[in-house]
Amino acid sequence: MSIISVNSTTLAQEFSAWLVPVHYAEAFTSKNTVKGGRVILHPFFFNDTEHLTNPRHWLAINAAYWCCVYREAESDATQVEALAGLRSNYYVAGALGVGEIKALIHEWWRATYELHQTPAPNYSAVIKNPSFH
């Protein structure tokens, strides 16, 4: 098992694509670990600031991060894990009424369908369902 991390340069590009304000991106990276050109998720990351409270920006940060995780995935299991992260953000964005992020994730999902073959976030990416006896 490995710790989830992504290339810091790629993540910065994703932050830009998702229109994450610089001060939010800096807060995110400062609350995680940056080492060897990688941004490593801290096991107890949370936003404890009093001024960086825009849900749109935090959802965009998480979507950007999980898109990077998907891009760097080297196995089916890590791809499924990344899709699950994006799926969670998709439904949380809907629950919080952040339609822009929900729509952007939906568009990413549609654009990358040929890679993951999962038609929509409400479909399972698990190739073989476990059997229970």
Side-chain angles (χ1 to χ4, degrees):
M1 203 177 286
S2 61
I3 295 173
I4 298 169
S5 71
V6 297
N7 179 282
S8 59
T9 302
T10 305
L11 182 60
Q13 293 167 347
E14 283 292 328
F15 283 165
S16 178
W18 286 85
L19 302 177
V20 173
V22 172
H23 54 291
Y24 276 79
E26 289 171 351
F28 177 80
T29 54
S30 73
K31 292 178 179 299
N32 288 288
T33 303
V34 180
K35 186 175 181 180
R38 312 276 307 161
V39 178
I40 303 162
L41 284 180
H42 188 280
F44 195 64
F45 166 81
F46 69 98
N47 175 26
D48 59 353
T49 68
E50 293 182 11
H51 62 291
L52 301 177
T53 58
N54 185 312
R56 182 259 178 244
H57 300 322
W58 287 110
L59 287 164
I61 285 169
N62 281 279
Y65 194 90
W66 288 104
C67 283
C68 287
V69 172
Y70 183 82
R71 180 179 292 132
E72 295 182 17
E74 295 181 355
S75 70
D76 288 344
T78 51
Q79 286 179 342
V80 169
E81 183 176 51
L83 287 177
L86 279 166
R87 173 189 292 142
S88 175
N89 285 332
Y90 178 80
Y91 285 102
V92 169
L96 294 176
V98 186
E100 176 197 1
I101 299 301
K102 186 171 178 95
L104 288 170
I105 293 171
H106 183 80
E107 179 58 25
W108 178 92
W109 204 281
R110 188 198 62 72
T112 58
Y113 170 75
E114 286 189 35
L115 297 173
H116 53 70
Q117 297 291 302
T118 305
N122 65 325
Y123 282 76
S124 176
V126 175
I127 295 164
K128 192 174 189 181
N129 288 326
S131 59
F132 298 96
H133 299 285

